[in-house]
Amino acid sequence: MNKAFVKESDRDDEDDLPEAQALPAGTRNYMTPQGYERLRDELSHLMNVERPSVVQVVSWAASNGDRSENGDYLYGKKRLREIDRRMRFLTKRLDIAEVVDPAAQPNRDQVFFGATVLYMDRAGEERTVTIVGVDEAEPLAGRISWISPVARALTKAHEGDTVTLRTPGGVEELEILEVRYPDA
């Protein structure tokens, strides 16, 4: 059916997901082994469970006749587009992923990808962050992307170092109290 007769936009087919953070040009998509597994599991679930279930509902709804006012059919088609868009996104991200195991980090006294860092800010407040991949970041849980300003400021520093973090509110000094990596 022509899109002129259906309330569908052309933007439904695009891969830009608002929750996805873009990678800087020319960089790799670093990811921990756990983050890679999580994305792969999500892709597998969408492909093998969720999509077939929605296809079955859409097929049933289509067999009921008039599709223009059939809520199950219209919602199902929309959900299929969402699932397909997410599957394309996950496939692309997994294809360019470079899995880095923080447990294999030889320089355990220095901050690199996968490190858990305890630092103190100017106000004397201690914070703990783990530097992870863009697709794994959960700032409220203390998991920050390796391309975030805090992670970039901390990277390559050692315990006891003071690093400079440039923020829109000014320059802040962060004192690194501890650097940890997961055990192998």
Side-chain angles (χ1 to χ4, degrees):
M1 178 179 280
N2 188 329
K3 285 189 178 186
F5 298 107
V6 182
K7 291 184 180 181
E8 295 178 1
S9 71
D10 290 332
R11 288 194 45 85
D12 287 338
D13 295 331
E14 293 183 12
D15 286 340
D16 58 336
L17 297 175
E19 71 271 7
Q21 187 175 5
L23 292 169
T27 61
R28 297 181 177 168
N29 187 21
Y30 295 114
M31 203 175 284
T32 63
Q34 298 81 13
Y36 185 84
E37 285 298 314
R38 196 183 85 235
L39 290 185
R40 204 174 70 186
D41 290 347
E42 181 185 353
L43 179 60
S44 177
H45 176 77
L46 288 172
M47 217 179 329
N48 301 321
V49 177
E50 201 163 336
R51 192 173 195 291
S53 170
V54 175
V55 166
Q56 187 176 22
V57 170
V58 169
S59 177
W60 167 81
S63 70
N64 287 339
D66 185 14
R67 296 177 186 171
S68 65
E69 294 181 14
N70 186 331
D72 288 329
Y73 178 79
L74 295 175
Y75 173 76
K77 291 294 282 184
K78 180 180 180 199
R79 182 67 187 128
L80 273 177
R81 285 191 303 277
E82 292 167 355
I83 291 170
D84 289 344
R85 183 172 42 247
R86 181 68 180 166
M87 285 173 46
R88 281 192 307 273
F89 172 79
L90 290 172
T91 301
K92 286 179 184 177
R93 286 303 248 242
L94 290 170
D95 284 348
I96 63 169
E98 185 166 326
V99 179
V100 177
D101 188 0
Q105 177 58 251
N107 301 333
R108 292 172 133 357
D109 63 333
Q110 198 171 6
V111 179
F112 291 107
F113 182 85
T116 298
V117 182
L118 173 65
Y119 68 88
M120 183 169 42
D121 62 15
R122 185 179 349 165
E125 189 174 329
E126 291 184 1
R127 298 177 192 257
T128 302
V129 295
T130 301
I131 301 171
V132 296
V134 172
D135 298 315
E136 306 171 76
E138 297 176 45
L140 297 177
R143 297 172 57 82
I144 61 171
S145 163
W146 67 274
I147 63 173
S148 70
V150 173
R152 286 184 181 251
L154 295 172
T155 299
K156 295 187 180 176
H158 296 83
E159 281 185 23
D161 287 356
T162 300
V163 297
T164 303
L165 172 64
R166 300 189 191 294
T167 66
V171 176
E172 188 168 344
E173 300 290 320
L174 307 177
E175 182 184 348
I176 300 174
L177 304 174
E178 182 182 9
V179 178
R180 291 188 318 267
Y181 287 92
D183 293 328

